[in-house]
Amino acid sequence: MNIVPPILPEVFTRWFAARGWTPRAHQLELLGLARAGRSALLIAPTGAGKTLAGFLPSLVELSEASQRARSAPLPPRRGGEGLGGVSANSSARAHAALPPDPSPPFAPLMGGGEKTRKLVSTGRGIRREGGLHTLYISPLKALAVDIARNLERPVAEMGLPIRIETRTGDTPASKRQRQRRDPPHILLTTPEQLALYRIPLIRTRAPIGAIRWT
């Protein structure tokens, strides 16, 4: 089965062009395979762009989800504003009675806004909207940190609303606890820390998100 390499979103093509680069064939091929729901094994020499190739499907998918959220129409306000037979005073009172939203409009996609997230059915279970999307398990702590650093730069340069974090033995306890409550989009960790991450969630039956890629 031949997978036609998909066209990269404009923000990605501009980022490549700004550096005088063009996407490599294996990077586009991996993106095409991922979009077709297929697994892949990439073998390439040092400096061939393996890290970007492996995470490109996640970055593109999360970026597109953010764009869809921005372009989606906002839901109508509660309280009957603008409906016939409802006075301005009653509408104002209805809005005043609503609890304030402490998070920005697209907080789930930005990796924050835990209070705005809701449980979403995935067919086989439930997940938190905007939860953990991609999980990378590294045999070495230093490798996980290095890969995260290499990913953070293009994400920041493209202005993508994607949160990337590591979880190792050096991660503060407060951050590890927050990662269970409010996971990042992409988490890079080790086998030992993954076990410690999952045990409390299994005990409480808390969802960790609908993980798309590992």
Side-chain angles (χ1 to χ4, degrees), residues 29-92:
E29 287 171 9
L30 276 182
L31 179 57
L33 288 168
R35 286 190 161 179
R38 297 179 59 184
S39 300
L41 173 64
L42 173 63
I43 301 175
T46 301
K50 294 189 295 295
T51 297
L52 185 56
F55 284 91
L56 192 59
S58 296
L59 299 181
V60 168
E61 188 169 294
L62 288 166
S63 174
E64 291 177 339
S66 174
Q67 290 293 330
R68 287 193 298 270
R70 291 194 188 98
S71 60
L74 294 175
R77 288 181 175 273
R78 290 179 288 175
E81 185 177 17
L83 296 178
V86 180
S87 67
N89 288 336
S90 62
S91 175

Side-chain angles (χ1 to χ4, degrees), residues 10-162:
E10 184 180 356
V11 65
F12 289 84
T13 57
R14 289 201 309 264
W15 180 78
F16 276 101
R19 277 142 197 82
W21 301 343
T22 56
R24 303 196 180 196
H26 59 270
Q27 293 172 336
L28 295 177
E29 287 171 9
L30 276 182
L31 179 57
L33 288 168
R35 286 190 161 179
R38 297 179 59 184
S39 300
L41 173 64
L42 173 63
I43 301 175
T46 301
K50 294 189 295 295
T51 297
L52 185 56
F55 284 91
L56 192 59
S58 296
L59 299 181
V60 168
E61 188 169 294
L62 288 166
S63 174
E64 291 177 339
S66 174
Q67 290 293 330
R68 287 193 298 270
R70 291 194 188 98
S71 60
L74 294 175
R77 288 181 175 273
R78 290 179 288 175
E81 185 177 17
L83 296 178
V86 180
S87 67
N89 288 336
S90 62
S91 175
R93 286 195 301 271
H95 285 296
L98 296 177
D101 185 356
S103 305
F106 303 112
L109 288 172
M110 298 297 291
E114 181 182 356
K115 292 184 180 179
T116 68
R117 293 183 179 180
K118 60 184 179 180
L119 297 182
V120 179
S121 172
T122 62
R124 291 181 295 178
I126 57 175
R127 68 172 174 85
R128 275 188 302 169
E129 188 178 56
L132 185 60
H133 178 280
T134 301
L135 178 66
Y136 178 87
I137 305 172
S138 169
L140 300 173
K141 173 180 62 177
L143 179 61
V145 172
D146 187 56
I147 290 178
R149 188 181 301 114
N150 290 338
L151 288 174
E152 286 168 351
R153 181 176 178 181
V155 165
E157 291 174 344
M158 285 186 277
L160 302 179
I162 298 173

